[in-house]
Amino acid sequence: MFTIKTTHPQNTDLQQLIAELDAFQSVLYPAESNHCLDLATVEDGMLHCLMVTDAADHPVGCGAILLQGDGGAELKRIYVRPAWRGHQLGEAIVQRLETLAMQQGCEVTRLETGNQQQAAIRLYEKMGYRQCTAFPPYLPDPLSVFMMKPLKTKE
């Protein structure tokens, strides 16, 4: 059993999960291709963070959306600790982030991931994301995969 809850970007458990993600990505990609967002630099109201906890309330995963002001949101910092992979937590995080994006009036979600993260790419494709060109603030990067998904708005 797990729980997904909103949290503040400065939450220490969230910061620990992000540090683990950064360490993982730093092995895969050179610094110039590591597009890590420092959550502390985002102005209030533009970032919505989630944390996943297990039955004992231990943090096991996280994710965030960054509102882009153009009717879109970018999925950021999606991570599940290795021991919890294979439990559909990635899918649950993405679904909850998409719901948050729709609640904020977003019509599209975008993301950037690394080309070495094939499991993540497969997850996003399974959830309806399709590759696209680089979007602001990114420039094309041969080690990056850019994806987007239109969100269904409620009638």
Side-chain angles (χ1 to χ4, degrees), residues 11-51:
N11 177 296
T12 55
D13 289 333
L14 177 66
Q15 292 297 318
Q16 177 59 43
L17 290 166
I18 289 171
E20 291 173 24
L21 173 59
D22 288 349
F24 171 74
Q25 290 178 329
S26 71
V27 173
L28 297 176
Y29 308 104
E32 63 273 11
S33 290
N34 238 323
H35 306 289
C36 300
L37 173 68
D38 179 357
L39 302 182
T41 65
V42 179
E43 66 182 78
D44 286 343
M46 298 302 288
L47 184 72
H48 297 269
C49 300
L50 297 177
M51 188 164 46

CSV table of all heavy atoms in Angstrom, one decimal, residues 11-51:
chain,number,residue,atom,x,y,z
A,11,ASN,N,10.5,20.1,1.6
A,11,ASN,CA,10.3,18.9,2.5
A,11,ASN,C,11.6,18.1,2.4
A,11,ASN,O,12.1,17.8,1.3
A,11,ASN,CB,9.1,18.1,2.0
A,11,ASN,CG,8.9,16.8,2.7
A,11,ASN,OD1,9.8,16.0,2.7
A,11,ASN,ND2,7.8,16.7,3.4
A,12,THR,N,12.2,17.8,3.6
A,12,THR,CA,13.5,17.1,3.6
A,12,THR,C,13.4,15.7,3.0
A,12,THR,O,14.4,15.3,2.4
A,12,THR,CB,14.0,17.0,5.1
A,12,THR,OG1,13.0,16.4,5.9
A,12,THR,CG2,14.3,18.4,5.6
A,13,ASP,N,12.3,15.0,3.2
A,13,ASP,CA,12.2,13.7,2.5
A,13,ASP,C,12.2,13.8,1.0
A,13,ASP,O,12.8,13.1,0.3
A,13,ASP,CB,10.9,13.0,3.0
A,13,ASP,CG,11.0,12.5,4.4
A,13,ASP,OD1,12.2,12.2,4.9
A,13,ASP,OD2,10.0,12.3,5.1
A,14,LEU,N,11.5,14.8,0.5
A,14,LEU,CA,11.5,15.1,-0.9
A,14,LEU,C,12.9,15.5,-1.4
A,14,LEU,O,13.3,15.0,-2.4
A,14,LEU,CB,10.5,16.2,-1.3
A,14,LEU,CG,10.4,16.6,-2.7
A,14,LEU,CD1,9.9,15.5,-3.6
A,14,LEU,CD2,9.6,17.9,-2.9
A,15,GLN,N,13.6,16.3,-0.7
A,15,GLN,CA,14.9,16.7,-1.0
A,15,GLN,C,15.9,15.5,-1.1
A,15,GLN,O,16.7,15.4,-2.0
A,15,GLN,CB,15.5,17.7,-0.1
A,15,GLN,CG,14.7,19.1,-0.2
A,15,GLN,CD,14.9,19.7,-1.5
A,15,GLN,OE1,16.0,19.7,-2.1
A,15,GLN,NE2,13.8,20.3,-2.1
A,16,GLN,N,15.7,14.5,-0.2
A,16,GLN,CA,16.5,13.3,-0.2
A,16,GLN,C,16.2,12.5,-1.4
A,16,GLN,O,17.2,12.0,-2.1
A,16,GLN,CB,16.2,12.5,1.1
A,16,GLN,CG,17.0,11.2,1.1
A,16,GLN,CD,18.5,11.3,1.0
A,16,GLN,OE1,19.1,12.2,1.7
A,16,GLN,NE2,19.2,10.5,0.2
A,17,LEU,N,14.9,12.3,-1.8
A,17,LEU,CA,14.6,11.6,-3.0
A,17,LEU,C,15.2,12.2,-4.3
A,17,LEU,O,15.8,11.6,-5.1
A,17,LEU,CB,13.1,11.5,-3.2
A,17,LEU,CG,12.4,10.6,-2.2
A,17,LEU,CD1,10.9,10.8,-2.2
A,17,LEU,CD2,12.7,9.1,-2.5
A,18,ILE,N,15.2,13.6,-4.3
A,18,ILE,CA,15.7,14.3,-5.4
A,18,ILE,C,17.2,14.1,-5.5
A,18,ILE,O,17.8,14.0,-6.6
A,18,ILE,CB,15.3,15.8,-5.4
A,18,ILE,CG1,13.8,15.9,-5.7
A,18,ILE,CG2,16.1,16.6,-6.3
A,18,ILE,CD1,13.2,17.2,-5.5
A,19,ALA,N,17.9,14.1,-4.3
A,19,ALA,CA,19.3,13.9,-4.3
A,19,ALA,C,19.7,12.5,-4.8
A,19,ALA,O,20.7,12.4,-5.5
A,19,ALA,CB,19.8,14.1,-2.8
A,20,GLU,N,18.9,11.5,-4.5
A,20,GLU,CA,19.1,10.2,-5.1
A,20,GLU,C,18.9,10.2,-6.6
A,20,GLU,O,19.7,9.6,-7.3
A,20,GLU,CB,18.1,9.2,-4.4
A,20,GLU,CG,18.4,8.9,-3.0
A,20,GLU,CD,17.3,8.1,-2.3
A,20,GLU,OE1,16.6,7.3,-3.0
A,20,GLU,OE2,17.2,8.1,-1.1
A,21,LEU,N,17.9,10.9,-7.1
A,21,LEU,CA,17.7,11.0,-8.5
A,21,LEU,C,18.9,11.7,-9.2
A,21,LEU,O,19.4,11.2,-10.2
A,21,LEU,CB,16.4,11.7,-8.8
A,21,LEU,CG,16.1,12.1,-10.3
A,21,LEU,CD1,16.0,10.8,-11.1
A,21,LEU,CD2,14.8,12.9,-10.4
A,22,ASP,N,19.4,12.8,-8.6
A,22,ASP,CA,20.5,13.5,-9.2
A,22,ASP,C,21.7,12.6,-9.2
A,22,ASP,O,22.5,12.7,-10.2
A,22,ASP,CB,20.8,14.8,-8.3
A,22,ASP,CG,19.7,15.9,-8.5
A,22,ASP,OD1,18.9,15.7,-9.4
A,22,ASP,OD2,19.8,16.8,-7.7
A,23,ALA,N,22.0,11.9,-8.2
A,23,ALA,CA,23.1,11.0,-8.1
A,23,ALA,C,23.0,9.9,-9.2
A,23,ALA,O,24.0,9.6,-9.9
A,23,ALA,CB,23.3,10.3,-6.8
A,24,PHE,N,21.9,9.4,-9.4
A,24,PHE,CA,21.6,8.4,-10.5
A,24,PHE,C,21.9,9.0,-11.8
A,24,PHE,O,22.6,8.4,-12.7
A,24,PHE,CB,20.2,7.9,-10.4
A,24,PHE,CG,19.7,7.0,-11.5
A,24,PHE,CD1,20.2,5.7,-11.6
A,24,PHE,CD2,18.9,7.5,-12.5
A,24,PHE,CE1,19.8,4.9,-12.7
A,24,PHE,CE2,18.4,6.7,-13.5
A,24,PHE,CZ,18.9,5.4,-13.6
A,25,GLN,N,21.4,10.2,-12.1
A,25,GLN,CA,21.5,10.8,-13.4
A,25,GLN,C,22.9,11.3,-13.7
A,25,GLN,O,23.4,11.3,-14.8
A,25,GLN,CB,20.5,12.0,-13.6
A,25,GLN,CG,19.1,11.5,-13.7
A,25,GLN,CD,18.1,12.6,-13.8
A,25,GLN,OE1,18.3,13.7,-13.2
A,25,GLN,NE2,17.0,12.3,-14.4
A,26,SER,N,23.6,11.7,-12.6
A,26,SER,CA,25.0,12.2,-12.8
A,26,SER,C,25.9,11.1,-13.3
A,26,SER,O,27.0,11.4,-13.9
A,26,SER,CB,25.5,12.8,-11.5
A,26,SER,OG,25.8,11.8,-10.6
A,27,VAL,N,25.6,9.8,-13.1
A,27,VAL,CA,26.4,8.7,-13.6
A,27,VAL,C,26.1,8.5,-15.1
A,27,VAL,O,27.0,8.1,-15.8
A,27,VAL,CB,26.1,7.4,-12.8
A,27,VAL,CG1,26.8,6.2,-13.4
A,27,VAL,CG2,26.5,7.6,-11.3
A,28,LEU,N,24.9,8.8,-15.5
A,28,LEU,CA,24.5,8.5,-16.9
A,28,LEU,C,24.8,9.6,-17.9
A,28,LEU,O,25.0,9.3,-19.0
A,28,LEU,CB,22.9,8.3,-16.9
A,28,LEU,CG,22.4,7.1,-16.1
A,28,LEU,CD1,20.9,7.1,-16.2
A,28,LEU,CD2,22.9,5.8,-16.7
A,29,TYR,N,24.8,10.9,-17.4
A,29,TYR,CA,24.9,12.0,-18.3
A,29,TYR,C,26.0,13.0,-17.8
A,29,TYR,O,26.1,13.2,-16.6
A,29,TYR,CB,23.6,12.7,-18.4
A,29,TYR,CG,22.4,11.8,-18.7
A,29,TYR,CD1,21.5,11.4,-17.7
A,29,TYR,CD2,22.3,11.3,-20.0
A,29,TYR,CE1,20.5,10.5,-18.0
A,29,TYR,CE2,21.2,10.4,-20.3
A,29,TYR,CZ,20.4,10.0,-19.3
A,29,TYR,OH,19.3,9.2,-19.6
A,30,PRO,N,26.6,13.7,-18.8
A,30,PRO,CA,27.5,14.8,-18.4
A,30,PRO,C,26.7,16.0,-17.8
A,30,PRO,O,25.5,16.1,-18.1
A,30,PRO,CB,28.2,15.2,-19.7
A,30,PRO,CG,27.3,14.7,-20.8
A,30,PRO,CD,26.6,13.5,-20.2
A,31,ALA,N,27.4,16.8,-17.1
A,31,ALA,CA,26.7,17.9,-16.4
A,31,ALA,C,25.9,18.8,-17.4
A,31,ALA,O,24.8,19.2,-17.1
A,31,ALA,CB,27.7,18.8,-15.7
A,32,GLU,N,26.4,19.0,-18.6
A,32,GLU,CA,25.7,19.9,-19.6
A,32,GLU,C,24.4,19.3,-20.1
A,32,GLU,O,23.6,19.9,-20.7
A,32,GLU,CB,26.6,20.3,-20.7
A,32,GLU,CG,27.1,19.2,-21.6
A,32,GLU,CD,28.4,18.6,-21.1
A,32,GLU,OE1,28.8,18.8,-19.9
A,32,GLU,OE2,29.0,17.8,-21.9
A,33,SER,N,24.3,18.0,-19.9
A,33,SER,CA,23.0,17.3,-20.4
A,33,SER,C,22.2,16.8,-19.2
A,33,SER,O,21.2,16.1,-19.4
A,33,SER,CB,23.4,16.0,-21.2
A,33,SER,OG,23.9,16.4,-22.5
A,34,ASN,N,22.5,17.3,-18.0
A,34,ASN,CA,21.7,17.0,-16.8
A,34,ASN,C,20.9,18.2,-16.5
A,34,ASN,O,21.4,19.2,-16.0
A,34,ASN,CB,22.7,16.7,-15.7
A,34,ASN,CG,22.4,15.3,-15.1
A,34,ASN,OD1,21.2,14.9,-15.0
A,34,ASN,ND2,23.4,14.6,-14.7
A,35,HIS,N,19.6,18.2,-16.9
A,35,HIS,CA,18.7,19.4,-16.8
A,35,HIS,C,18.0,19.3,-15.5
A,35,HIS,O,16.7,19.2,-15.5
A,35,HIS,CB,17.8,19.4,-18.0
A,35,HIS,CG,18.6,19.4,-19.3
A,35,HIS,ND1,19.3,20.4,-19.8
A,35,HIS,CD2,18.7,18.4,-20.3
A,35,HIS,CE1,19.9,20.1,-20.9
A,35,HIS,NE2,19.5,18.9,-21.3
A,36,CYS,N,18.7,19.4,-14.4
A,36,CYS,CA,18.1,19.3,-13.1
A,36,CYS,C,17.5,20.6,-12.7
A,36,CYS,O,18.2,21.6,-12.7
A,36,CYS,CB,19.1,18.8,-12.1
A,36,CYS,SG,19.7,17.2,-12.5
A,37,LEU,N,16.3,20.6,-12.2
A,37,LEU,CA,15.7,21.9,-11.8
A,37,LEU,C,15.8,21.9,-10.2
A,37,LEU,O,15.5,21.0,-9.5
A,37,LEU,CB,14.2,21.9,-12.1
A,37,LEU,CG,13.3,23.0,-11.5
A,37,LEU,CD1,13.7,24.3,-12.1
A,37,LEU,CD2,11.8,22.8,-11.7
A,38,ASP,N,16.4,23.1,-9.8
A,38,ASP,CA,16.5,23.3,-8.3
A,38,ASP,C,15.1,23.8,-7.9
A,38,ASP,O,14.7,25.0,-8.3
A,38,ASP,CB,17.6,24.3,-8.1
A,38,ASP,CG,17.7,24.6,-6.6
A,38,ASP,OD1,16.9,24.1,-5.8
A,38,ASP,OD2,18.6,25.4,-6.2
A,39,LEU,N,14.3,23.0,-7.2
A,39,LEU,CA,13.0,23.4,-6.9
A,39,LEU,C,12.9,24.7,-6.0
A,39,LEU,O,11.9,25.4,-6.1
A,39,LEU,CB,12.3,22.2,-6.1
A,39,LEU,CG,12.2,20.9,-6.8
A,39,LEU,CD1,11.5,19.9,-6.0
A,39,LEU,CD2,11.6,21.0,-8.2
A,40,ALA,N,14.0,25.0,-5.3
A,40,ALA,CA,14.0,26.2,-4.5
A,40,ALA,C,14.0,27.5,-5.3
A,40,ALA,O,13.7,28.5,-4.8
A,40,ALA,CB,15.2,26.1,-3.5
A,41,THR,N,14.3,27.4,-6.6
A,41,THR,CA,14.4,28.6,-7.4
A,41,THR,C,13.1,28.9,-8.1
A,41,THR,O,13.0,29.9,-8.8
A,41,THR,CB,15.5,28.4,-8.5
A,41,THR,OG1,15.1,27.3,-9.4
A,41,THR,CG2,16.9,28.1,-7.9
A,42,VAL,N,12.1,28.1,-8.0
A,42,VAL,CA,10.8,28.3,-8.7
A,42,VAL,C,9.9,29.2,-7.8
A,42,VAL,O,9.8,29.0,-6.6
A,42,VAL,CB,10.2,26.9,-9.0
A,42,VAL,CG1,8.8,27.2,-9.7
A,42,VAL,CG2,11.1,26.1,-9.8
A,43,GLU,N,9.3,30.2,-8.5
A,43,GLU,CA,8.4,31.1,-7.7
A,43,GLU,C,7.2,30.3,-7.2
A,43,GLU,O,6.7,29.4,-7.8
A,43,GLU,CB,8.1,32.3,-8.5
A,43,GLU,CG,7.2,32.0,-9.8
A,43,GLU,CD,7.0,33.3,-10.6
A,43,GLU,OE1,7.9,33.7,-11.3
A,43,GLU,OE2,5.9,33.8,-10.4
A,44,ASP,N,6.7,30.8,-6.1
A,44,ASP,CA,5.5,30.2,-5.5
A,44,ASP,C,4.3,30.1,-6.5
A,44,ASP,O,4.1,31.0,-7.3
A,44,ASP,CB,5.1,31.0,-4.3
A,44,ASP,CG,6.0,30.8,-3.1
A,44,ASP,OD1,6.8,29.8,-3.1
A,44,ASP,OD2,5.9,31.6,-2.1
A,45,GLY,N,3.6,29.0,-6.4
A,45,GLY,CA,2.5,28.8,-7.2
A,45,GLY,C,2.7,28.2,-8.6
A,45,GLY,O,1.8,27.7,-9.2
A,46,MET,N,4.0,28.2,-9.0
A,46,MET,CA,4.3,27.6,-10.3
A,46,MET,C,4.7,26.1,-10.2
A,46,MET,O,4.8,25.5,-11.3
A,46,MET,CB,5.5,28.4,-10.9
A,46,MET,CG,5.1,29.9,-11.2
A,46,MET,SD,3.7,30.1,-12.3
A,46,MET,CE,4.3,29.6,-13.8
A,47,LEU,N,5.0,25.6,-9.0
A,47,LEU,CA,5.4,24.3,-8.9
A,47,LEU,C,4.5,23.5,-7.9
A,47,LEU,O,4.2,24.1,-6.8
A,47,LEU,CB,6.9,24.3,-8.3
A,47,LEU,CG,7.6,23.0,-8.1
A,47,LEU,CD1,8.0,22.4,-9.5
A,47,LEU,CD2,8.8,23.1,-7.3
A,48,HIS,N,4.2,22.3,-8.3
A,48,HIS,CA,3.3,21.4,-7.4
A,48,HIS,C,4.1,20.1,-7.3
A,48,HIS,O,4.3,19.4,-8.3
A,48,HIS,CB,1.9,21.2,-8.0
A,48,HIS,CG,1.2,22.5,-8.1
A,48,HIS,ND1,0.3,23.0,-7.1
A,48,HIS,CD2,1.1,23.4,-9.1
A,48,HIS,CE1,-0.2,24.1,-7.5
A,48,HIS,NE2,0.3,24.4,-8.7
A,49,CYS,N,4.4,19.8,-6.0
A,49,CYS,CA,5.2,18.6,-5.7
A,49,CYS,C,4.4,17.5,-5.1
A,49,CYS,O,3.5,17.8,-4.3
A,49,CYS,CB,6.4,18.9,-4.8
A,49,CYS,SG,7.5,20.2,-5.5
A,50,LEU,N,4.7,16.2,-5.4
A,50,LEU,CA,4.1,15.1,-4.8
A,50,LEU,C,5.2,14.2,-4.2
A,50,LEU,O,6.3,14.1,-4.7
A,50,LEU,CB,3.4,14.2,-5.9
A,50,LEU,CG,2.2,14.9,-6.6
A,50,LEU,CD1,1.7,13.9,-7.7
A,50,LEU,CD2,1.1,15.3,-5.7
A,51,MET,N,4.8,13.5,-3.2
A,51,MET,CA,5.6,12.4,-2.6
A,51,MET,C,4.8,11.2,-2.4
A,51,MET,O,3.6,11.3,-2.0
A,51,MET,CB,6.3,12.9,-1.3
A,51,MET,CG,7.3,12.0,-0.8
A,51,MET,SD,8.4,12.7,0.5
A,51,MET,CE,7.2,13.5,1.5
